[in-house]
Amino acid sequence: MSIQSNLNTIKSSLPEHVTLVAVSKTKPVPDLMEAYNAGQRIFGENKIQEMVDKYEEMPKDIQWHMIGHVQSNKVKFMAPFVSLIHGVDSLKLLEQINKHALKNNRTIDCLLQIYIAEEESKFGLDEKELNELLSSPEFKEMKNIRILGLMGMATFTEDQNQIKKEFTLLKSIFDSIKELKAENCDLKTISMGMSGDYKLAIECGSTMVRIGSSIFGGR
Ligand SMILES: *Cc1c(COP(=O)(O)O)cnc(C)c1O
């Protein structure tokens, strides 16, 4: 199957309120261009340097999403252009993003990553840490970031009930904060679901899916 037909198949299966992030990490620019020429404009990368290189080579109407774990000292490289940072999991990182957004005279949209899996390796905040972050005075002072919602990754397992439980948890945490009124929050996005589990994620309330291998093939 071609990238274009994979993309069309997936897009036609998504409800209107769900945004598709085409996860293009490790794939070469010609593959991304095939998706671009088929109409895709949102791409997700998990390494900052790779995203910067692709940004420089590719058309400027692409929205670049950083979906990987972000090190504070690398924020400056993507601050001029990144469209959405999915994996924000600390106040310290948010401070760096705010600082570099200000330097670039812009506001950077972010999602807070919530830990929902049963694996040690996955990053993210728990519900208590999320609430502490959102109610901290430092957070309220940040004028150059905007929190659009939450992101989570389910456990890598075949057990659909387990995955469903984790997605449902993320949705319920989102529902518990979504009425929050703050200048730097516009809570409307739940980024959950990948190639293997995006249909389940949408059933559980996802509004943004991050799909790589089902579009571009295995890595
Ligand atoms: C790689 C990656 C994806 C996409 O995974 P696929 O299984 O290839 O669809 C989604 N989200 C994150 C955070 C990733 O690192």
Side-chain angles (χ1 to χ4, degrees):
M1 289 295 262
S2 70
I3 290 169
Q4 174 170 1
S5 64
N6 291 341
L7 194 57
N8 287 337
T9 306
I10 290 168
K11 278 203 304 206
S12 64
S13 76
L14 298 179
E16 198 139 0
H17 68 278
V18 176
T19 301
L20 172 64
V21 180
V23 175
S24 48
K25 61 189 185 194
T26 79
K27 297 297 177 183
V29 166
D31 286 11
L32 278 67
M33 280 309 298
E34 196 178 331
Y36 179 87
N37 289 327
Q40 183 63 23
R41 291 294 179 274
I42 304 177
F43 290 85
E45 291 283 335
N46 72 339
K47 294 208 168 67
I48 293 178
Q49 190 55 55
E50 186 177 341
M51 186 171 77
V52 169
D53 292 346
K54 287 171 174 172
Y55 163 75
E56 283 169 356
E57 261 190 72
M58 293 186 62
K60 292 297 169 281
D61 62 343
I62 291 173
Q63 295 168 40
W64 293 97
H65 286 201
M66 173 43 59
I67 61 168
H69 187 66
V70 176
Q71 287 170 282
S72 294
N73 61 354
K74 292 193 177 156
V75 170
K76 57 178 179 284
F77 301 115
M78 65 175 165
F81 69 91
V82 68
S83 162
L84 181 62
I85 303 175
H86 289 234
V88 179
D89 63 355
S90 73
L91 193 63
K92 182 173 148 263
L93 176 57
L94 213 45
E95 272 164 353
Q96 286 301 309
I97 297 169
N98 188 61
K99 182 175 112 185
H100 289 288
L102 178 61
K103 277 190 186 166
N104 285 277
N105 197 24
R106 63 185 293 241
T107 301
I108 297 180
D109 289 337
C110 299
L111 302 176
L112 296 172
Q113 183 168 358
I114 306 300
Y115 180 87
I116 53 172
E118 275 188 345
E119 290 160 2
E120 281 300 323
S121 61
K122 302 234 155 98
F123 296 99
L125 304 160
D126 63 25
E127 192 168 7
K128 179 161 166 279
E129 292 165 334
L130 170 69
N131 287 316
E132 281 167 5
L133 190 157
L134 291 174
S135 56
S136 71
E138 293 92 337
F139 174 71
K140 286 172 187 155
E141 289 305 309
M142 293 180 193
K143 308 246 184 282
N144 289 77
I145 52 102
R146 183 169 50 209
I147 304 297
L148 296 191
L150 303 179
M151 178 271 212
M153 284 173 84
T155 304
F156 189 71
T157 172
E158 293 291 309
D159 182 350
Q160 297 299 302
N161 285 328
Q162 176 70 24
I163 298 172
K164 188 173 179 183
K165 202 174 82 187
E166 295 171 1
F167 285 153
T168 304
L169 172 64
L170 186 59
K171 171 72 161 83
S172 76
I173 295 174
F174 177 82
D175 286 344
S176 76
I177 62 163
K178 73 177 181 214
E179 302 301 332
L180 185 90
K181 295 275 175 288
E183 293 266 332
N184 56 7
C185 289
D186 182 10
L187 300 169
K188 58 187 179 191
T189 301
I190 307 178
S191 167
M192 62 183 185
M194 320 196 335
S195 292
D197 56 20
Y198 75 90
K199 289 185 179 139
L200 183 54
I202 292 168
E203 283 171 30
C204 296
S206 172
T207 69
M208 187 175 277
V209 291
R210 310 175 308 268
I211 301 181
S213 45
S214 290
I215 297 172
F216 296 103
R219 289 179 297 271

